[in-house]
Amino acid sequence: MHKFAAVMRIDIISAVPELLESPLNHSIIRRAREKGLVEIHIVNLHDYGKGSYKQIDDYGFGGDAGMVIKPEPLYRAITDLTSQREYDHVIYTSPDGEMLDQGMCNSLSTCGNLIILCGHYKGIDHRIREHLITKEISIGSYVLSGGELAACVICDSIIRLLSGAITCEPSPRSSSFQDEMVATAIYTRPADFMGWKVPEVLLSGNPKLIRQWQEEQALERTKRLRPDLLD
Ligand code: ADE
């Protein structure tokens, strides 16, 4: 196994850490962790809860229905981390945050240490957002039941960009959106599947023609599927 110096550390604070287990322990993320490219630490918010019940939530002021995560456990969990090392960002996953896109992923992939706080229930006490959170990220214009899936999306989209994380591709930067284009159509064997044929040019063995076809394909697919990227 290769040995790389750990270049990134991500601490994820969650009230439901079980939701993070599988996505962060398989495939490219698992291999990146094994290679030492990234350390991921899961912090269970309940460990910072109040009293013998380890309470982390309470009724919201103002009469709105729903539970809100209390400031004390959030404060203790975040400051426990920030007292040990410096962080580039203390991220909160929220539907009203800045929309995650490839540019933001590229920029986050250059960070050293990140905290990602997963929201839950109705949300977190606003004072923590005002005083401790440095960046709020949304993964789309819809509401999830918690921030854990969003945290996994953020981790996946940045870890795959770390140098050495994807060994079979020349560079993860050749994927969709990296050049503000949708990826070209891709195929594998068999060349003829139930009469559905792979485009002839891909079987030609002519790298120049293939590259040209792939670029045309990417442009045509971008115009059709994501014209906003060309604006
Ligand atoms: N939490 C709930 N919905 C979310 C979203 N769309 N993005 C990030 N975090 C969220």
Side-chain angles (χ1 to χ4, degrees):
M1 196 199 304
H2 301 285
K3 278 268 174 229
F4 296 85
V7 291
M8 176 177 270
R9 175 186 171 115
I10 307 176
D11 292 88
I12 308 178
I13 304 174
S14 163
V16 197
E18 296 80 7
L19 284 173
L20 300 162
E21 268 164 27
S22 179
L24 301 181
N25 282 303
H26 291 94
S27 187
I28 287 169
I29 299 189
R30 178 172 62 83
R31 287 199 292 277
R33 294 175 81 171
E34 285 171 357
K35 287 180 192 170
L37 301 176
V38 62
E39 277 181 29
I40 302 178
H41 298 265
I42 309 295
V43 177
N44 188 339
L45 190 61
H46 292 274
D47 292 343
Y48 294 87
K50 269 187 93 180
S52 48
Y53 289 107
K54 297 283 178 197
Q55 188 189 357
I56 60 162
D57 58 343
D58 209 335
Y59 293 98
F61 283 124
D64 286 349
M67 303 299 275
V68 177
I69 300 192
K70 296 170 71 57
E72 301 95 323
L74 292 168
Y75 182 87
R76 281 197 291 265
I78 293 171
T79 55
D80 197 9
L81 293 170
T82 54
S83 65
Q84 294 177 55
R85 66 195 65 78
E86 289 207 354
Y87 286 87
D88 298 271
H89 289 293
V90 181
I91 296 168
Y92 175 55
T93 57
S94 160
D96 40 50
E98 192 184 338
M99 200 65 75
L100 184 72
D101 63 8
Q102 193 60 51
M104 196 195 294
C105 299
N106 293 349
S107 147
L108 289 174
S109 74
T110 65
C111 290
N113 299 327
L114 295 172
I115 293 176
I116 305 179
L117 169 63
C118 306
H120 234 274
Y121 309 101
K122 241 188 113 196
I124 63 170
D125 189 283
H126 201 73
R127 289 164 289 187
I128 296 296
R129 294 171 76 165
E130 280 176 336
H131 295 285
L132 296 183
I133 298 299
T134 63
K135 193 172 181 67
E136 302 201 347
I137 300 180
S138 166
I139 63 159
S141 299
Y142 43 79
V143 180
L144 300 165
S145 53
E148 283 76 10
L149 295 180
C152 291
V153 168
I154 296 167
C155 285
D156 190 294
S157 62
I158 63 182
I159 290 170
R160 63 181 292 285
L161 297 174
L162 299 179
S163 173
I166 301 181
T167 42
C168 58
E169 264 188 53
S171 156
R173 290 173 194 280
S174 63
S175 320
S176 276
F177 299 129
Q178 206 60 68
D179 302 315
E180 262 118 47
M181 292 257 263
V182 168
T184 185
I186 55 167
Y187 301 88
T188 186
R189 284 179 288 190
D192 183 340
F193 174 63
M194 302 200 312
W196 302 337
K197 296 206 172 69
V198 168
E200 203 64 46
V201 61
L202 295 180
L203 311 175
S204 70
N206 182 329
K208 204 172 150 210
L209 276 184
I210 291 174
R211 183 75 202 145
Q212 195 184 331
W213 180 86
Q214 286 173 331
E215 280 169 9
E216 283 165 13
Q217 263 287 309
L219 184 60
E220 185 280 318
R221 282 165 50 76
T222 309
K223 278 186 188 151
R224 188 160 44 87
L225 302 170
R226 292 294 309 273
D228 55 298
L229 292 175
L230 297 170
D231 289 343

